[in-house]
């Protein structure tokens, strides 16, 4: 082998070695991932997304960690509440790694650690509550679990975003008891509403009766007032007639007395004819008195007409 051939072979080997070193030293990290770098087994740094360089044969990729939000299902487990009721509960945890080095080197199995920690805290939180609180305060349970689990996992370089209880399943006999209790409660509310409706109806009925009595009393009062006013006007008219009769008598007119007596006579005769126990009325009772009364009325009319004609007419 000549020197030229040896140099060509050496150059070829050197170029190949350089290419191998470049390939081993250049690392491309995809978005959403981070890689830990170990030098002789010890953590040195973390490679971020993009193009990175390491020392070949000295540095090595330790672990590839996803920095995306992860979802973990919590399997169903039985929990005993404070009032000794057993329920079956499952849930879901949303978390995200924020420090790849801590997530890699602070805990051996991150997913298993999160799962066991969450299940333990579910039993602790729900075991300190009554069954009614467990069934009605799900949001409060979620918030309490989130606070406890996030605080416990913070040294592992991760952030717990949400902890949600998916399903709470009481035993069948307990569900039946709750159904009967709910039905009894609804029947109770229905009875209360019905009684309240009857009470309101009675109150409205009594109020209506009260208003009717008040209105009737007002009507009687108004009628009595009108009747008294009518009697007062009748008495005033009677007094005026009596005054005019007295004036006529003073002036020497005897026919006025006959008219007054005839008027009373006719009114008395009308009352006799309209009486309920009056079946037969014999006429004439006193035709002479009636004729005299009519004659008195005629004389009064003549005197009034003659007095009008005797008055002097005014000249235009």
């Amino acid at each position: 082998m000549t020197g030229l051939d040896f140099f060509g072979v050496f150059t070829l080997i050197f170029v190949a070695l350089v290419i191998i070193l470049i390939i081993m030293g250049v690392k491309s990290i995809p978005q959403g991932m981070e890689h830990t770098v170990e030098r002789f087994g010890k953590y040195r740094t973390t490679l971020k997304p993009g193009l990175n360089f390491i020392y070949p044969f000295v540095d090595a990729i330790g672990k590839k960690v996803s920095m995306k939000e992860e979802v973990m299902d919590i399997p169903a487990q039985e929990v005993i509440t404070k009032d000794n009721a057993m329920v079956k509960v499952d849930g879901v945890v949303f978390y995200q790694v924020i420090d790849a080095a801590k997530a890699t080197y602070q805990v051996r199995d991150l997913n298993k650690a999160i799962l066991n920690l969450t299940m333990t805290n579910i039993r602790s939180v729900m075991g300190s509550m009554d069954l009614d609180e467990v069934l009605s305060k799900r949001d409060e349970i979620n918030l309490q679990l989130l606070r406890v689990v996030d605080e416990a996992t913070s040294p592992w370089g991760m952030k717990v975003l949400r902890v949600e209880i998916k399903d709470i399943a009481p035993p069948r006999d307990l569900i039946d008891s709750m159904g009967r209790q709910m039905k009894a409660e609804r029947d109770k509310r229905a009875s209360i509403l019905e009684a309240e409706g009857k009470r309101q109806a009675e109150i409205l009925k009594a109020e209506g009766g009260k208003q009717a009595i008040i209105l009737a009393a007002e009507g009687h009062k108004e009628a009595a007032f009108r009747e008294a006013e009518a009697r007062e006007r009748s008495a005033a008219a009677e007094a005026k007639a009596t005054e005019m009769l007295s004036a006529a008598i003073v002036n020497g007119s005897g026919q006025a007395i006959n008219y007054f007596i005839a008027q009373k006579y006719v009114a008395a005769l009308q009352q006799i004819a309209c009486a309920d126990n009056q079946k037969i009325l014999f006429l004439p009772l006193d035709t002479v008195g009636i004729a005299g009364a009519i004659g008195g009325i005629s004389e009064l009319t003549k005197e009034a007409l003659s007095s009008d004609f005797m008055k002097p007419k005014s000249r235009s």
Side-chain angles (χ1 to χ4, degrees):
M1 179 181 293
T2 63
L4 183 59
D5 294 336
F6 178 78
F7 180 76
V9 173
F10 177 77
T11 302
L12 184 60
I13 295 173
F14 178 78
V15 171
L17 182 60
V18 170
I19 293 174
I20 293 173
L21 291 176
I22 292 174
I23 293 174
M24 294 179 62
V26 177
K27 299 296 181 182
S28 178
I29 311 301
Q31 185 66 36
M33 298 291 294
E34 289 186 3
H35 297 180
T36 60
V37 177
E38 299 175 355
R39 178 171 293 177
F40 302 115
K42 182 179 179 181
Y43 169 76
R44 187 178 72 85
T45 186
T46 301
L47 302 181
K48 303 296 182 181
L51 194 62
N52 296 268
F53 298 94
I54 63 173
Y55 296 104
F57 304 108
V58 177
D59 296 336
I61 299 299
K63 189 173 183 180
K64 300 177 180 180
V65 181
S66 174
M67 307 302 291
K68 302 175 185 178
E69 183 175 345
E70 301 286 343
V71 181
M72 177 182 294
D73 288 326
I74 306 300
Q77 60 176 332
E78 292 183 347
V79 178
I80 300 177
T81 61
K82 186 178 179 180
D83 52 354
N84 295 324
M86 183 174 293
V87 295
K88 185 174 290 187
V89 183
D90 60 357
V92 62
V93 178
F94 298 84
Y95 68 95
Q96 184 178 14
V97 176
I98 58 177
D99 191 332
K102 290 183 178 180
T104 302
Y105 301 107
Q106 294 293 330
V107 61
R108 182 180 179 86
D109 190 340
L110 181 62
N111 291 336
K112 185 177 180 180
I114 296 173
L115 178 62
N116 290 329
L117 181 64
T118 305
M119 293 180 66
T120 303
N121 282 278
I122 287 177
R123 288 194 295 268
S124 299
V125 172
M126 302 183 84
S128 62
M129 304 173 70
D130 294 332
L131 178 61
D132 293 337
E133 294 177 337
V134 169
L135 297 175
S136 61
K137 297 182 178 180
R138 184 171 298 192
D139 292 339
E140 182 177 339
I141 295 173
N142 293 336
L143 291 176
Q144 191 171 350
L145 286 173
L146 175 61
R147 184 178 64 253
V148 173
V149 176
D150 183 55
E151 183 179 356
T153 57
S154 59
W156 301 341
M158 57 169 295
K159 175 68 177 177
V160 178
L161 303 177
R162 290 182 301 278
V163 178
E164 299 288 341
I165 298 297
K166 290 197 300 183
D167 188 25
I168 301 175
R172 175 55 56 182
D173 57 346
L174 188 57
I175 294 176
D176 295 338
S177 299
M178 292 170 60
R180 291 193 298 270
Q181 180 181 1
M182 182 176 61
K183 184 177 182 300
E185 186 67 25
R186 289 182 178 177
D187 292 341
K188 176 183 176 182
R189 288 199 298 266
S191 300
I192 292 174
L193 290 176
E194 184 179 359
E196 186 68 22
K198 291 181 179 179
R199 175 175 173 270
Q200 291 294 333
E202 293 295 332
I203 291 175
L204 292 176
K205 184 178 179 181
E207 188 69 24
K210 176 183 176 183
Q211 292 296 329
I213 293 174
I214 292 174
L215 292 176
E218 290 290 336
H220 291 316
K221 177 181 177 182
E222 184 68 20
F225 176 76
R226 297 293 184 185
E227 185 178 356
E229 186 178 2
R231 287 198 302 269
E232 182 179 355
R233 290 181 180 179
S234 178
E238 189 73 20
K240 184 67 175 176
T242 304
E243 182 181 355
M244 294 175 64
L245 180 62
S246 299
I249 293 173
V250 171
N251 292 332
S253 178
Q255 299 298 330
I257 298 176
N258 291 333
Y259 168 72
F260 184 73
I261 293 173
Q263 185 181 15
K264 297 295 183 181
Y265 184 83
V266 172
L269 183 62
Q270 182 181 3
Q271 291 182 357
I272 293 173
C274 295
D276 295 335
N277 57 358
Q278 183 64 35
K279 303 301 181 181
I280 300 174
L281 181 64
F282 294 96
L283 292 175
L285 294 175
D286 189 359
T287 56
V288 178
I290 296 175
I294 295 173
I297 295 173
S298 177
E299 291 296 329
L300 286 175
T301 305
K302 290 180 180 180
E303 291 180 4
L305 292 175
S306 62
S307 62
D308 289 338
F309 285 120
M310 292 297 293
K311 291 182 181 179
K313 296 182 179 179
S314 57
R315 294 180 181 179
S316 57

